[in-house]
Amino acid sequence: MTRRPWTETERAELARRYPNEVTADIGRDINRSVGGIYDQANKMGLRKSPEFMSRIHGSVLIRAGAASRFSAGLEP
C-alpha cells in the first residue's frame, strides 16, 4: 500500500465537511480510506458536531445501558 500525502485542498475539504457528514461519504469523494479520514481528522483536532451525533445516534445513546440500571426505589 502506497501512502499519499494530504494536500492542503484535501485538508480544507475535510475541515469543512467532517463535523456534519458521514465519514465514509467524505472518504469516497476524496478517494481516501475511512481510517485515513479518521486519522487525519484526529491530527487536525476535528470532531463530529453534537447535532450530527444526535441525528446519527438519536435516542440510542439515551437508552444505552437502560436495561442494567437500577430502577427508582431499588437498593443497590
Side-chain angles (χ1 to χ4, degrees):
M1 181 166 123
T2 306
R3 292 183 183 240
R4 183 170 44 105
W6 282 76
T7 65
E8 287 305 313
T9 304
E10 288 174 323
R11 283 191 188 101
E13 185 74 1
L14 182 61
R16 182 180 70 80
R17 295 177 61 186
Y18 187 79
N20 297 304
E21 292 189 36
V22 176
T23 306
D25 293 345
I26 300 168
R28 184 185 57 245
D29 292 347
I30 64 173
N31 197 28
R32 295 281 184 170
S33 69
V34 171
I37 297 289
Y38 284 134
D39 185 51
Q40 187 62 36
N42 186 46
K43 287 177 183 176
M44 294 172 64
L46 301 175
R47 300 286 178 259
K48 294 291 186 186
S49 69
E51 295 81 16
F52 175 82
M53 295 302 287
S54 66
R55 188 175 74 234
I56 293 298
H57 296 292
S59 62
V60 172
L61 295 177
I62 294 169
R63 294 178 306 189
S68 61
R69 294 181 194 151
F70 283 104
S71 301
L74 292 178
E75 286 190 35

